[in-house]
Amino acid sequence: MSRDARRAMVRNQLRARGLRDLRVLAAMQWVPREQFIPPNLSRHAYDDQPISVAAGQTISQPYIVGLMTEALALTHADRVLEIGAGTGYQTAVLALLAREVCAVERLEVLLEPARARLARLGFRNVRWRLGDGAIGWPQTAPFAGVLVAAAAPTLPTALADQLAEGGRLVIPLGSRDEQDLVLVRRRGDRFSERSLGPVRFVPMVSPHAFQSAPR
Ligand code: SAH
């Protein structure tokens, strides 16, 4: 039942909108999204929309998860930093594609269940940190990929600094109500940016979210 719903999600929401990376599609075909959603909402697990979870936070719409993941173009050798792990759904998708995911979440009520879910699903390549993701995770940097799932007005300096040479970073940048999903690519000390379209994420809660890298 949920396997059919997942197959339909991959076909109608991901492929139909142009996502092509077969590894990303296979990862999203594998992760049981219903296990990341409150039981009373699990019938909506594969709907084409974000869903409200605990603590006023949301699990992203499947297409946005796919779009952000594809943009990172990960290989099995890569290490990834994820800011705003929330339910851990995006974490699981990343962990299927990368060597290691370093996941940061500021709310313990979300982080602990996320950690337990991924352990139950058998993941061994995720490191978790409770805290402010706007400062990144300097001890485990640099990262080939950085995925930020909370909106900031501008790119926090620390996250740009922790990106490896040739690395990619995706982040929703803008105001509280509307943002642009931006793909940043590092070449030496230069950072190029490309827009992936309008999005709406919950805000990054941090005093550091306003310390920005030059653009
Ligand atoms: N990708 C998640 C959804 C993330 S919602 C999923 O698939 O479930 C955004 C998350 O960012 C929320 O869980 C919120 O608590 C977290 N967040 C907001 N500001 C943060 C910060 N400064 N550091 C770490 N996490 C933060």
Side-chain angles (χ1 to χ4, degrees):
M1 161 59 194
S2 72
R3 211 158 52 110
D4 292 345
R6 269 206 297 279
R7 191 165 291 133
M9 172 192 83
V10 169
R11 186 180 55 235
N12 302 331
Q13 301 177 35
L14 310 182
R15 293 183 71 108
R17 294 197 184 113
L19 297 188
R20 287 286 172 263
D21 185 329
L22 294 178
R23 295 179 65 233
V24 174
L25 298 174
M28 293 185 67
Q29 176 65 50
W30 188 85
V31 180
R33 186 170 159 93
E34 70 280 5
Q35 292 185 25
F36 294 78
I37 282 165
N40 62 320
L41 294 173
S42 59
R43 69 184 180 285
H44 295 297
Y46 297 95
D47 288 3
D48 189 13
Q49 58 183 33
I51 298 173
S52 296
V53 295
Q57 305 302 320
T58 57
I59 179 172
S60 299
Q61 180 187 11
Y63 172 68
I64 297 297
V65 172
L67 180 67
M68 293 175 87
T69 309
E70 187 168 290
L72 293 181
L74 297 169
T75 75
H76 278 304
D78 289 338
R79 296 174 59 254
V80 188
L81 174 67
E82 184 195 13
I83 307 302
T87 65
Y89 175 72
Q90 171 79 74
T91 318
V93 173
L94 292 172
L96 287 172
L97 300 172
R99 175 155 61 94
E100 181 175 67
V101 182
C102 295
V104 184
E105 169 56 53
R106 64 179 281 272
L107 296 176
E108 197 166 10
V109 291
L110 294 174
L111 183 129
E112 289 309 325
R115 190 205 298 267
R117 279 182 197 108
L118 269 73
R120 202 170 347 114
L121 289 169
F123 287 97
R124 297 283 176 271
N125 61 337
V126 181
R127 292 162 76 171
W128 302 89
R129 194 168 85 107
L130 181 67
D132 182 359
I135 60 170
W137 194 335
Q139 298 82 356
T140 56
F143 302 96
V146 177
L147 187 153
V148 186
T154 47
L155 175 61
T157 316
L159 299 181
D161 286 346
Q162 291 170 33
L163 197 57
E165 171 60 26
R168 295 164 180 251
L169 176 155
V170 274
I171 182 170
L173 292 179
S175 66
R176 174 173 272 270
D177 293 327
E178 50 183 5
Q179 307 105 32
D180 196 21
L181 187 61
V182 176
L183 173 63
V184 179
R185 192 165 187 162
R186 176 171 202 164
R187 294 195 192 287
D189 289 332
R190 298 180 62 88
F191 295 83
S192 62
E193 292 187 11
R194 184 159 74 83
S195 169
L196 301 178
V199 286
R200 189 170 177 182
F201 278 77
V202 298
M204 182 183 288
V205 179
S206 166
H208 302 284
F210 294 86
Q211 291 180 7
S212 306
R215 299 182 70 187

